[in-house]
Structure formats: C-alpha cells, structure tokens
Amino acid sequence: MRRPRIVIVGAGFAGYRTARTLARAARGRADITLLNPTDYFLYLPLLPQVAAGILEPRRVTVSLSGTLREVRPVLGEAEHVDLDARTVHYTNPEGDRGTLGYDRLVLAAGSVNKLLPIPGVAEHAHGFRGLPEALYLRDHLTRQVELAASGMNADECTARCTFVVVGAGYTGTEVAAQGKLFTDALVRAHPLRRGIRPRWLLLDLASRVLPELDERLSRTADRVLRERGVEVRMGTSVKEATRDGVLLTDGEFVDTRTLAWCVGVRPDPLAESLGLPLERGRLLVEPTLQVPGRPEVFACGDAAAVPDLERPGEYTPMTAQHAWRQGKVAGKNVAASLVEGGGAAGLRPYRHRDLGFVVDLGGVQAAANPLGVHLSGPAAGAVARGYHLAAMPGNRVRVAADWLLDAVLPRQDVQLGLVRSWSVPLDTASPELARVPGDHRHEPAAPGPGAATEEDANAGNDGDGTDGTDDKNAYDRNAYDRNAYDRNAYDRNAYDRNEGNDVKDVNDVNDVKDEDKATDGSGGHHPSPEDGSQSITSPTPEVGRHSGGESGSRVGQSSPEEGSQSIDSPTPEVGRHSSGPAAARSDESAGNEPGPGPAERGDARDGKGDR
C-alpha cells in the first residue's frame, strides 16, 4: 500500500513547525517532503545580532536534514501549484525544474517585502529578511566607518557616519539599538575626525517607539535609545531617498550613506497565483487551517488569513509566534486527516493567547513583560535571551557561547565583502538567497492584493509600528490589526543608497578585459575558466567577482560558472560588482552610481517573514 505523500512549501516558522510536528505524528507512515530555497530554518529574531557582529551567521540557522530526520528536504522555490493535478512545480537553485506530487499540501510560503510608492526607495533600499542582507549590512556599517576614518573631508565623513533607520517597530528599534553599539565599537578601533561621532536616527510616523506594545515597554525602549545617543523622531518618515541622502517628511535633508528601511511585508505572490479566495493577498482558510473547497490543502503562516477566534471577524496577524503555533496545529490536523474515517471532526481549530513581549536592545538592556510583568534593564535582557534560547530549535549552545565571547572579547571589525549592494535588492522574491549574475528565475514580485498602494503610504503605519511579520520577539502578539502588513510600520531592511561608495570596482578597465577574454574578442562565448567565478590571473583572488547579468536577468544561481570571482581579476580580495541585471546599475567610471532597482522577492517561503 502506497504511503500518503505530503508536501510542505516553505521552511520558515510555520513550515518548519508543521514538518516537525507531522514527522512525529506520522511516525514513518507518510512520505513528507519539505520544499525550501535553503537547506536551513532561519531564526529571524536574532538576525539583528548577526548584523551587529555578535552572532556568527550559522548560529541562527538550523539544518533541515539534521533536525527533521523523517522529512525529505528538497531545495527549490515553488513556481506553480496545480490544484487539480495535485502537483507542485518548482525550480532548484541551479535553474532545473521539478515536480512534486501530493496527497496533502501545506502552503507556508510566508511573505515578501512590501514596497511603498516613495521615490528612490526601490532603487536605493535593501531588505533585512535573510542572512545575505544581514551580512551585507554588517559589512556596510564596517566599511562606512573605515572609509570615514581614512582621511576624507569632514562633510563626507559625517555623511558616512550617519545611519537612518525608518520604522520604530521591533526590527527597526533593535537594528538602531544594536547598530549604535556596533558603530561605537568600530570607531574606537578606527578614530574619526575630531568632533565626529556615529549618528543614528530612528524615524516613524507613529507617536511613540513600539506603538503596538504596552506604553511602559515603549517608554523603556525610548529611554534606552536616547541615552545611547540615538535620535528618536516620531511623526517623521522619509519622503524621498536619493544617492546623497534622504529627504524627511518634515523638510530636512539628511546626508547619509545608510538607510535601514522596514516597510512591512505582503503575502508571497504564490498565494495569489492559486486562484483561490484571498484576504488582502492571504489565502482564506478555515479555523482548522484547511482551504475551503480543497480539504487536501492546508495553509498557515503569512500566506494564510486565519480567523482569529479570540477576536471574531478578524484574522490573526502575520507574526512569527502565530506562524509557529499554526504550524503545530497544521501538522496535527494533516496527520488526523490521513487517519481512515477521520474527517473534519478530528481536526482542531487554531486558537492563541498572548504571553508577553520581549525586545532586545543590545548589551544588557531590553524591555519585556512576560505574563504581564513589566521588566527592564538586565532582568529584561536575561528574560529576552532566555526566551530565544528556549524558542530556538537548535544551536542553543553555540548561540550562548557567542554571547559569552561577545561579553569578554572585542568584536571583529572586518568586512568579508561577499555580498554586494545589488545582490540584496529590496524588491526581491527570495531574500534568503543572495542575487548572483545569470539567474533568470527570480523576477520582481508582481503587485497583488497585498501590494502597497499610495493609500498605504499616506496612511503611514496607523500608529502601531508593526511590519506584518515582525512580531519576532513577542511571545504571542494579539494586539495587531489583521491588515497590519498594510500599515507603513517600518521594520526591517537595510539600505545603501550609494552602492558605488560602498565598494568601487577596483579596475573598471579590467572588467572590459574580462569580457574580451570570455568572448575571445569575437563575441563568441567560450566555456573557459575566465568565465567562471575565479580567475587565475587575478591580482586579487581573495575577493569574489560580481560580473553583470544580461538585461532583465535575476540572480540566485549557484553555479560556479556564474559566480562572483574571476581568475583574471585585478582585485580578487574584493567582490566584483560590475553591472548586474537590468535593474542594476553598471559600474561607470566614478563608481558612484546608485544601486540597482527592484529585482527580487522578500520573505523566505514561510518564515520569510514569519518573524
């Protein structure tokens, strides 16, 4: 007798928990396949600490094959679901296509970045929803301080040491808090001109920091930020982003090379492509997480509009805690649906209740209210870190060890240079993957029911500061509007409005030579080593080469022949970043052109945004 086939799309908070729960319940009586772009589950709440150099990147990743023994992981991104044929069509990291048949399907595709119609944002902003973006931000902050300390004029030094974060929700607040400590440490190692210090601005249209939380938590976070030197400006946002800085809604122009943009998220376009009833881009489901009319299809996490039984008429918000708990219910219900004779009567509805919130503010500072008890300072810091260790499905010892080392040793102030500005565009369909030349698979996410509109931009964040899935540190957020991701609650995304100033291509002339060698000067392409990611004749082999893709191409290809290093590169120590896809700028003579325009997608299929 053939075992039932179960396919789970997405390995974020909802998808990973579904797979783990289902594997335990099925006990080998079902074939469980987990489709995800990466081979790990990413614990998003600790991503700001990766960007601040506290945690190493692998600490926040949990191996799928290592922790889900009875689940078959498949690397790839779902492109199309044929509900009638019960098949999922996907593309793997090397561009090959595949098909997975199923008897039960769990859609946990998560969400993508939501772009607002604000001039310059799509061209100059970056996301903060995956490891590539966190690594880019860490390198970028380090690079700006190092360049500022290298002897340039005072105005340029000031601009490079000015960092703007838009969004005073969870991620924006933590990025500003952790970032200020990080840049202060960098300046101690790289002294700046007299009178110049790192300047951080935290902006939000809301009236207070963390407006969706209890006012006491908000006051604690606001006090810590201001004491640390962060300029907290409420009722203010960005009106326009340019190569030279940002124009604020109050009329002030801030010269800066860094903008952390956290505009929220919208459901993954995969949900819209199914042709099923939607609620602002999310699949409408029953309280049991089944799709109406399709009892074999379940949906959870950011991709699903789950009725909030505690608040009739509303839907649960797009948060990590809801996704994690929905994944457990989905796993049990899928297992129950496979039992002979078990119908809807054997399925349980999804319910939740709030347990509290924690916000890690860096160092020993935090704000928390576990079970309604308000805490601040070291006590809150201990609760926050204890919560994260308990919530992580793996790597607890390694994370704790990194925290201990950070407390007794200075952070390493080096930039690896592996991720370039155009590799992590804001409008990406897969923030969990760094963009590389030659990948045509990932086109910009098409606007859908959940896409941001002019009304969203004008509405700001409706005073709650949430970004859809940014309930990363809440035990279980309930006070959240079902359309929270339509609020301009900026939380999460790093921006480098001047890619050219981050890292210039060391030798533009050599870029041309590289192209000539690859084509042998005749326009014919040869599969020679020069066309690969490394070059033997490169004077700087230690730096990855980022060659350009063709017009309209997207990146994400992992094949070596389209890598970022070149054997004949004159600067192997620096990642090459000549023109990328159509939206990306070409490295012109000065190397100061703005970064690429919209390109890909934003949330790790489920968990991408289930933060």
Side-chain angles (χ1 to χ4, degrees):
M1 181 177 178
R2 181 177 67 84
R3 295 191 301 176
R5 301 165 300 170
I6 304 169
V7 174
I8 304 170
V9 178
F13 283 94
Y16 181 87
R17 188 75 183 279
T18 298
R20 192 172 74 170
T21 302
L22 187 55
R24 292 174 178 174
R27 296 180 180 178
R29 295 190 296 268
D31 289 327
I32 307 171
T33 300
L34 181 57
L35 179 64
N36 196 59
T38 65
D39 64 353
Y40 59 80
F41 159 74
L42 177 65
Y43 190 72
L44 283 167
L46 293 180
L47 208 56
Q49 296 191 29
V50 173
I54 299 174
L55 297 177
E56 286 304 309
R58 286 187 297 176
R59 303 294 185 259
V60 298
T61 63
V62 178
S63 169
L64 299 181
S65 59
T67 56
L68 301 174
R69 299 293 185 182
E70 298 182 3
V71 176
R72 180 172 71 100
V74 174
L75 285 178
E77 296 182 73
E79 302 291 343
H80 171 66
V81 177
D82 189 331
L83 297 174
D84 295 325
R86 296 194 178 189
T87 56
V88 176
H89 302 271
Y90 69 94
T91 304
N92 72 15
E94 294 188 347
D96 300 323
R97 299 183 181 279
T99 302
L100 298 171
Y102 66 84
D103 297 303
R104 296 291 186 275
L105 174 65
V106 180
L107 292 169
S111 52
V112 299
N113 290 318
K114 181 183 69 176
L115 295 180
L116 295 176
I118 298 177
V121 169
E123 294 78 10
H124 304 297
H126 298 283
F128 195 73
R129 308 189 67 78
L131 276 180
E133 295 160 329
L135 291 174
Y136 169 76
L137 179 58
R138 184 170 70 178
D139 275 2
H140 173 70
L141 295 178
T142 305
R143 183 162 54 249
Q144 295 311 304
V145 173
E146 290 177 345
L147 290 174
S150 63
M152 54 185 59
N153 64 64
D155 290 341
E156 184 71 10
C157 180
T158 299
R160 289 193 180 279
C161 289
T162 299
F163 310 96
V164 179
V165 179
V166 182
Y170 284 104
T171 301
T173 298
E174 290 193 358
V175 166
Q178 300 277 9
K180 184 62 167 65
L181 293 178
F182 183 47
T183 53
D184 284 349
L186 289 173
V187 168
R188 286 194 289 272
H190 304 279
L192 303 176
R193 287 170 173 265
R194 178 172 299 183
I196 297 179
R197 297 292 300 171
R199 179 192 181 195
W200 282 78
L201 289 81
L202 178 62
L203 314 176
D204 200 303
L205 291 175
S207 59
R208 59 186 175 90
V209 173
L210 300 172
E212 71 278 15
L213 299 187
D214 182 273
E215 287 192 23
R216 291 176 296 177
L217 295 181
S218 178
R219 287 196 297 269
T220 297
D222 186 275
R223 174 179 54 79
V224 171
L225 290 170
R226 293 180 187 275
E227 290 177 352
R228 195 167 289 172
V230 176
E231 297 180 32
V232 180
R233 299 192 185 183
M234 296 295 96
T236 305
S237 186
V238 170
K239 184 176 182 180
E240 180 181 2
T242 72
R243 187 176 67 178
D244 300 317
V246 293
L247 177 63
L248 306 184
T249 53
D250 61 7
E252 179 184 356
F253 187 86
V254 178
D255 291 316
T256 180
R257 299 289 182 271
T258 308
L259 174 65
W261 183 258
C262 312
V263 298
V265 296
R266 66 184 179 92
D268 190 287
L270 179 66
E272 178 189 357
S273 70
L274 299 177
L276 297 173
L278 302 173
E279 167 63 27
R280 289 190 173 271
R282 305 164 72 187
L283 284 172
L284 281 171
V285 298
E286 303 288 349
T288 58
L289 306 182
Q290 283 181 304
V291 174
R294 295 282 180 176
E296 77 282 2
V297 180
F298 294 75
C300 52
D302 288 0
V306 182
D308 190 338
L309 299 182
E310 303 297 323
R311 303 169 68 184
E314 299 187 14
Y315 298 93
T316 58
M318 300 164 67
T319 69
Q321 301 309 318
H322 279 293
W324 188 250
R325 295 188 174 200
Q326 288 169 11
K328 182 177 180 179
V329 173
K332 291 184 175 181
N333 284 350
V334 170
S337 71
L338 295 174
V339 177
E340 186 175 354
L347 308 185
R348 55 179 287 193
Y350 172 71
R351 291 182 180 274
H352 71 92
R353 60 192 180 93
D354 295 333
L355 298 177
F357 308 86
V358 296
V359 182
D360 193 331
L361 300 174
V364 298
Q365 297 294 326
N369 62 348
L371 301 177
V373 179
H374 178 70
L375 299 173
S376 62
V383 169
R385 293 198 168 183
Y387 165 71
H388 289 312
L389 288 180
M392 289 191 70
N395 291 348
R396 296 186 181 95
V397 174
R398 289 186 172 93
V399 169
D402 273 6
W403 284 340
L404 177 61
L405 291 175
D406 180 67
V408 298
L409 297 176
R411 298 179 195 177
Q412 294 178 294
D413 54 341
V414 296
Q415 48 170 316
L416 300 179
L418 300 179
V419 182
R420 287 290 176 267
S421 175
W422 64 267
S423 299
V424 285
L426 177 61
D427 187 13
T428 170
S430 48
E432 65 276 13
L433 299 175
R435 178 172 181 173
V436 299
D439 186 357
H440 302 263
R441 296 178 298 112
H442 307 290
E443 297 302 330
T453 63
E454 191 75 45
E455 182 180 355
D456 293 327
N458 295 333
N461 58 14
D462 293 343
D464 85 339
T466 56
D467 74 346
T469 58
D470 194 336
D471 181 36
K472 56 188 203 71
N473 293 343
Y475 292 110
D476 213 5
R477 221 159 91 214
N478 183 11
Y480 198 112
D481 186 287
R482 63 191 177 87
N483 297 333
Y485 55 92
D486 263 344
R487 308 169 176 185
N488 184 5
Y490 312 103
D491 221 4
R492 163 181 295 142
N493 281 334
Y495 139 95
D496 178 356
R497 34 149 228 90
N498 191 339
E499 168 192 342
N501 282 328
D502 280 349
V503 173
K504 295 201 240 178
D505 196 15
V506 179
N507 194 329
D508 291 320
V509 176
N510 278 285
D511 289 353
V512 179
K513 291 182 179 179
D514 293 338
E515 295 178 19
D516 290 339
K517 291 183 181 181
T519 59
D520 196 20
S522 62
H525 189 81
H526 302 282
S528 59
E530 296 83 39
D531 191 36
S533 63
Q534 296 183 334
S535 172
I536 354 186
T537 62
S538 166
T540 53
E542 60 276 24
V543 179
R545 171 170 177 177
H546 294 256
S547 54
E550 35 180 277
S551 177
S553 67
R554 258 192 93 221
V555 202
Q557 196 87 338
S558 60
S559 56
E561 61 275 11
E562 291 178 343
S564 63
Q565 295 183 336
S566 171
I567 327 192
D568 59 350
S569 165
T571 55
E573 67 279 4
V574 176
R576 180 161 183 170
H577 62 288
S578 50
S579 63
R585 61 117 178 139
S586 59
D587 276 328
E588 305 267 3
S589 55
N592 291 336
E593 296 308 312
E600 308 175 355
R601 102 165 220 195
D603 228 345
R605 299 211 184 264
D606 168 32
K608 300 184 277 238
D610 289 336
R611 186 153 141 123

